[in-house]
Amino acid sequence: MAHAKPQHDYHLVDPSPWPLVTSMTTVVMLTGAVIWMKGMFGLPEGTKWVFFVGLAGLLYGMFGWWRDVIKEGQKGDHTPVVQLGLRYGMIMFIASEVMLFASIFWMFFEMTIFAEARTLIPEYGNWADTAAAWSTWPPKGVELLDPWSLPLLNTVILLLSGTTVTWAHHAIIKGDRQAAKLGLWLTVGLGVIFSGVQAYEYYHILHAGMFFNDAAINSGLYGSLFFLATGFHGFHVLIGTIFLAVCLLRLYLGENHLTPQKHFGFEAAAWYWHFVDVVWLFLFAFLYVVYG
């Protein structure tokens, strides 16, 4: 009777190694990042292999975990009640991401709005020079980016990708798998282009010394906040691109993947992608245009 069909709508997950695998490999990856940047445990600064071993293990754990969830859905374990729980889970996950970016914007606005107040800080050691540099925003010595060049291009790219992923979603609902494939190919391609443009922008900033230079010796916070905000967003674009690429692969695996009746895996990816689009609009408006 232990393996009898359950008389309820809930799915009791089988014992799985993936939570432990992903947790342990994440620790290895982050420890490797510290070793890479600072050195630790007798390993010198610049040692990269620990980080990449952890990253490879994390990707393996993610692959195994997502594969098992897909198999559960195909076996019929994702009942309407379970699907509702998955939706609530994705909504709460995106809400937590909203709070992450809210904290980043909070730092940026605090440094921006109260810049003049730092002129009232009494002189105390080296802090006086730093406070003086932050008394104007952007700080003295920082060379700003033109928001109407690469940033505007990336804005157009993400907005266009939002339309293509919506097109793919409607195509799946109608059972038009060819149109869904085309829409997802376009969306994934636009995500890759966005990441490429951002990488070029970072190279230009660092190569030209726009944020970190001798004239801005005490103004490093601007560059740190810029790279923190746009870098986290760029990481989310990368994750979203992988998410959508997995959905595209599933469309090629057979008719039993992402059917008009059951395609929450794609819906979750589309929600995440729209969230990434909205965050970028705020980044573009405030980091590049208003206070850039």
Side-chain angles (χ1 to χ4, degrees):
M1 296 298 293
H3 300 286
K5 185 177 180 179
Q7 302 301 312
H8 53 75
D9 291 331
Y10 298 93
H11 172 51
L12 303 180
V13 182
D14 295 330
S16 171
W18 305 123
L20 180 62
V21 169
T22 54
S23 298
M24 293 179 64
T25 53
T26 299
V27 171
V28 173
M29 183 183 69
L30 296 179
T31 303
V34 175
I35 294 172
W36 188 351
M37 292 182 286
K38 296 293 185 180
M40 192 168 59
F41 301 133
L43 296 172
E45 177 183 338
T47 302
K48 304 176 183 178
W49 66 267
V50 179
F51 172 82
F52 286 106
V53 167
L55 177 61
L58 177 60
L59 292 175
Y60 173 72
M62 291 167 59
F63 172 81
W65 203 339
W66 290 347
R67 179 196 59 196
D68 287 356
V69 172
I70 292 172
K71 288 181 178 179
E72 291 167 1
Q74 291 180 315
K75 288 191 302 182
D77 292 332
H78 291 175
T79 64
V81 171
V82 173
Q83 291 183 51
L84 182 63
L86 291 173
R87 282 174 166 77
Y88 284 155
M90 191 65 192
I91 290 171
M92 288 189 286
F93 170 69
I94 292 177
S96 71
E97 296 284 271
V98 169
M99 299 313 297
L100 169 66
F101 281 99
S103 66
I104 295 174
F105 278 109
W106 187 289
M107 286 189 291
F108 183 80
F109 289 137
E110 195 279 333
M111 296 304 299
T112 303
I113 296 171
F114 300 104
E116 187 176 353
R118 294 183 181 85
T119 60
L120 306 177
I121 297 175
E123 295 189 6
Y124 183 78
N126 295 330
W127 168 246
D129 295 332
T130 302
W134 293 352
S135 62
T136 60
W137 196 267
K140 295 178 181 179
V142 171
E143 183 181 351
L144 300 179
L145 290 161
D146 178 9
W148 310 114
S149 56
L150 293 180
L152 178 61
L153 173 62
N154 262 349
T155 302
V156 174
I157 289 171
L158 273 191
L159 290 177
L160 181 58
S161 72
T163 63
T164 56
V165 76
T166 302
W167 173 32
H169 188 193
H170 283 282
I172 289 176
I173 293 174
K174 293 181 179 180
D176 188 350
R177 300 179 71 84
Q178 291 303 317
K181 291 175 184 177
L182 179 56
L184 272 178
W185 270 115
L186 290 172
T187 308
V188 170
L190 289 169
V192 171
I193 294 172
F194 178 94
S195 298
V197 172
Q198 188 172 53
Y200 176 78
E201 180 184 71
Y202 279 11
Y203 170 80
H204 173 67
I205 293 170
L206 297 173
H207 183 72
M210 298 177 68
F211 298 163
F212 306 102
N213 53 61
D214 293 337
I217 192 66
N218 294 307
S219 307
L221 184 62
Y222 178 89
S224 298
L225 280 175
F226 177 89
F227 284 118
L228 177 66
T230 59
F232 260 111
H233 176 267
F235 177 74
H236 283 70
V237 170
L238 178 62
I239 295 299
T241 303
I242 296 173
F243 204 170
L244 291 169
V246 171
C247 294
L248 177 59
L249 176 62
R250 292 184 63 190
L251 282 174
Y252 283 95
L253 290 179
E255 297 291 334
N256 59 335
H257 287 268
L258 303 180
T259 66
Q261 295 75 30
K262 295 185 67 174
H263 54 268
F264 175 69
F266 176 81
E267 280 188 283
W271 292 355
Y272 188 82
W273 196 254
H274 288 308
F275 160 73
V276 168
D277 286 355
V278 172
V279 170
W280 175 256
L281 291 178
F282 280 95
L283 288 172
F284 176 70
F286 292 106
L287 264 70
Y288 289 97
V289 178
V290 178
Y291 295 112

